[in-house]
Amino acid sequence: MTNDDGLSRGFRQEPHVQAGWHRPWLGGPLVLAVGALILVGVLALPRENAALPVIARHAMEIAVPVWGQAEVVSEIVYGSRGFDTFGETFLLLGAVAVVLTLSRPREPRSEYVGEASEGRAEQRRLDPDEPESGDERKARQAESGEESETRRIRMSVVVRVAVRTAVPLLAVASVYTAAWGYTPGGGFPAGAAAAGVVLLVYAALGHRAVRHVVRSAVVEPIELAGATVIVALGVAGIVIHGSMFANVLPLAQPLTILAGGNAQLYSGAELVEVATGLIIAIFSLLGMGRDWTIHDDDSQQVPAPQDEDQ
Amino acid sequence: MIVVNYVAAGCVFCIGLFAVVARRDVIKIVMGLSLMEASTYLLLVSMAYRRGATAPLLSNPPSGQTQRDVVHGTVSDPVLQNFCLTAIVIGIAVTAVFLTLAVRVAQHYRSVDAADATALRG
């Protein structure tokens, strides 16, 4: 049995199956009471034949004349409620910063997933004459998406060809969604689709296919550039019109690519923010799995490094 | 009968809340939180619905209507649709943070049982 076999088996022990209930006799009645309150509340909500609220009607009326947007939801996201979108974006940025901090690996790493590759670079630098061991080779094969002990099932040729075909279409669709702004939310769904493109490539073709893009030195500056554009739009609104996120760009003809003034630039920056934020969060989580080795709590079996304090 | 959607959203919320308060598995607690978030999406989109309404789109009015007719006619509530988008992004951010915490708890305590994470117990 190899170490990798042990690692796989360790993951399959599913430790959470032992975690049981916490005072269900107390939680059950509490939830029923909350449910009764919710029922009373939802029965008093406006129904499908209620008049549209004044604020919604106002948004419909100003969408084209004030913001040059024929897509009213996008007008609200990047126009009327631009400040709220700003807060939401920086909440996402804050969450990404928290995920990065919590998932920080023990060793300095230029990629979110890829400690084995980092180890090879460090070994080449410190001790270039030492040959690569069998375990190290398996770890790197698994990391790069090649078949190995820890990744027994390689994606079939059907999946790989399908992904290679779909990825360009999805990438173009995501940019189109944000650029033309006819989709509710514009940059939000477009950013999620762009992150999905990277994840599809990673899942089908392995780490090696995305390692030149999904690394701290590339993704994090792009995310901060998107955030800078959003801040600059807000500040420009204050300086020019005395209102944060007031439109400062000329309004082009509705239904053209430059329609919406600020909104299109804001939407593009949101695409960048959402895409990079999701990529960082997901790959940070994937990289955390690599830190969990079966030997960590078994120090008696693993001799301490001789030069630990040197 | 949009009230059925409202009640369904309330039920989904309560199922998520029950997972949060009554389960000890941190992964299931995060799943419960995600269910609670998802229930708000259903509620917001349902509240935005109007019988016989068109989408709040001014680019292609339905046949026989002008853009002005759409502005003053029956449309789905665009503000609540916007709230739903906001809720989705915040939900993703919160779930990512909680999942990261869950993985760290699992790595540190070798358990995902919240009852084992007792380091802060006074």
Side-chain angles (χ1 to χ4, degrees), chain A residues 103 105 109 111-115 202 281-292, chain B residues 107:
Chain A
S103 65
R109 197 189 290 180
E111 298 172 50
Y112 301 102
V113 181
E115 72 191 42
Y202 173 74
I282 292 168
F283 279 91
S284 295
L285 274 165
L286 289 171
M288 288 176 77
R290 306 276 177 177
D291 281 341
W292 189 357
Chain B
Q107 290 177 340

Coordinates of all heavy atoms in Angstrom, one line a residue, chain A residues 103 105 109 111-115 202 281-292, chain B residues 107:
Chain A
S103 N -6.8 30.6 4.4 CA -6.3 29.4 3.6 C -4.8 29.5 3.4 O -4.3 28.7 2.6 CB -7.0 29.3 2.3 OG -6.8 30.4 1.5
P105 N -1.2 28.9 3.1 CA -0.4 27.7 3.3 C 0.8 27.9 4.2 O 1.2 29.1 4.4 CB 0.0 27.2 1.9 CG 0.1 28.5 1.1 CD -1.0 29.4 1.7
R109 N 4.0 30.3 -1.6 CA 3.5 29.6 -2.8 C 3.1 30.6 -3.8 O 2.4 31.6 -3.5 CB 2.4 28.7 -2.4 CG 2.0 27.6 -3.4 CD 0.8 26.9 -3.0 NE 0.8 26.1 -1.8 CZ -0.2 25.5 -1.3 NH1 -1.3 25.5 -1.9 NH2 -0.1 24.8 -0.2
E111 N 1.2 29.7 -6.5 CA -0.1 29.3 -7.0 C -1.0 28.8 -5.9 O -0.5 28.5 -4.8 CB 0.2 28.1 -7.9 CG 1.0 28.4 -9.1 CD 1.4 27.2 -9.9 OE1 0.5 26.4 -10.2 OE2 2.6 27.0 -10.2
Y112 N -2.3 28.9 -6.1 CA -3.2 28.5 -5.1 C -3.2 27.0 -4.9 O -3.3 26.5 -3.8 CB -4.6 29.0 -5.4 CG -4.7 30.4 -5.6 CD1 -4.7 31.0 -6.9 CD2 -4.7 31.3 -4.5 CE1 -4.7 32.4 -7.0 CE2 -4.7 32.6 -4.6 CZ -4.7 33.2 -5.9 OH -4.7 34.5 -6.0
V113 N -3.2 26.2 -6.0 CA -3.0 24.8 -6.0 C -1.7 24.5 -6.5 O -1.3 25.0 -7.6 CB -4.1 24.1 -6.8 CG1 -4.0 22.6 -6.8 CG2 -5.5 24.5 -6.4
G114 N -0.9 23.7 -5.8 CA 0.4 23.5 -6.5 C 1.6 23.4 -5.5 O 2.7 23.9 -5.9
E115 N 1.4 22.9 -4.3 CA 2.5 22.8 -3.4 C 3.6 21.9 -3.9 O 4.8 22.1 -3.6 CB 2.1 22.5 -2.0 CG 1.7 21.0 -1.8 CD 1.0 20.8 -0.5 OE1 0.2 21.7 -0.1 OE2 1.3 19.8 0.2
Y202 N -9.9 23.6 -15.6 CA -9.2 22.9 -14.5 C -9.7 21.5 -14.3 O -8.9 20.5 -14.1 CB -9.3 23.7 -13.2 CG -8.7 23.0 -12.0 CD1 -7.4 22.9 -11.8 CD2 -9.6 22.5 -11.0 CE1 -6.8 22.3 -10.7 CE2 -9.1 21.8 -9.9 CZ -7.7 21.7 -9.8 OH -7.2 21.1 -8.7
A281 N -11.3 32.5 -4.4 CA -11.9 31.7 -3.3 C -11.9 30.2 -3.6 O -11.6 29.4 -2.7 CB -13.3 32.3 -3.1
I282 N -12.3 29.8 -4.8 CA -12.4 28.4 -5.1 C -11.1 27.7 -5.1 O -10.9 26.6 -4.5 CB -13.2 28.2 -6.4 CG1 -14.6 28.6 -6.2 CG2 -13.1 26.7 -6.8 CD1 -15.4 28.7 -7.5
F283 N -10.1 28.3 -5.7 CA -8.8 27.7 -5.8 C -8.1 27.7 -4.5 O -7.3 26.8 -4.2 CB -7.9 28.3 -6.9 CG -8.2 27.8 -8.3 CD1 -9.2 28.4 -9.1 CD2 -7.7 26.6 -8.7 CE1 -9.5 27.9 -10.3 CE2 -8.0 26.1 -10.0 CZ -8.9 26.7 -10.8
S284 N -8.3 28.7 -3.6 CA -7.8 28.7 -2.3 C -8.3 27.6 -1.5 O -7.6 26.9 -0.8 CB -8.1 30.0 -1.6 OG -7.5 31.1 -2.2
L285 N -9.6 27.3 -1.7 CA -10.2 26.2 -1.0 C -9.7 24.9 -1.5 O -9.4 24.0 -0.7 CB -11.8 26.2 -1.2 CG -12.5 27.0 -0.2 CD1 -14.0 27.3 -0.7 CD2 -12.6 26.4 1.2
L286 N -9.5 24.8 -2.8 CA -8.9 23.5 -3.4 C -7.5 23.3 -2.9 O -7.1 22.2 -2.6 CB -8.9 23.6 -4.9 CG -10.3 23.5 -5.6 CD1 -10.1 23.8 -7.1 CD2 -10.9 22.1 -5.4
G287 N -6.7 24.4 -2.7 CA -5.4 24.3 -2.3 C -5.3 23.9 -0.8 O -4.3 23.3 -0.4
M288 N -6.3 24.2 0.0 CA -6.3 23.9 1.4 C -6.3 22.4 1.5 O -5.7 21.8 2.5 CB -7.5 24.4 2.1 CG -7.4 25.9 2.3 SD -9.0 26.5 3.1 CE -8.7 26.0 4.8
G289 N -7.0 21.7 0.7 CA -7.0 20.2 0.8 C -5.7 19.6 0.7 O -5.4 18.6 1.3
R290 N -4.7 20.2 0.0 CA -3.4 19.7 -0.1 C -2.6 19.8 1.2 O -1.6 19.1 1.3 CB -2.6 20.4 -1.2 CG -3.3 20.5 -2.5 CD -3.1 19.3 -3.3 NE -3.8 19.4 -4.6 CZ -3.7 18.5 -5.5 NH1 -3.0 17.4 -5.4 NH2 -4.4 18.6 -6.6
D291 N -3.0 20.6 2.1 CA -2.3 20.8 3.3 C -2.6 19.6 4.3 O -1.9 19.5 5.3 CB -2.6 22.1 4.0 CG -1.9 23.2 3.4 OD1 -0.9 23.0 2.7 OD2 -2.3 24.4 3.6
W292 N -3.7 18.9 4.1 CA -4.2 17.9 5.0 C -3.5 16.6 4.7 O -4.0 15.9 3.8 CB -5.7 17.8 4.9 CG -6.3 17.0 6.0 CD1 -5.6 16.3 7.0 CD2 -7.6 16.7 6.2 NE1 -6.5 15.6 7.8 CE2 -7.7 15.9 7.4 CE3 -8.8 17.1 5.6 CZ2 -8.9 15.4 7.9 CZ3 -10.0 16.7 6.1 CH2 -10.1 15.9 7.2
Chain B
Q107 N -9.1 20.5 9.6 CA -7.7 20.2 9.6 C -7.1 20.4 11.0 O -6.2 19.6 11.4 CB -7.0 21.2 8.7 CG -7.3 20.9 7.2 CD -6.6 21.9 6.3 OE1 -6.2 23.0 6.7 NE2 -6.5 21.6 5.1

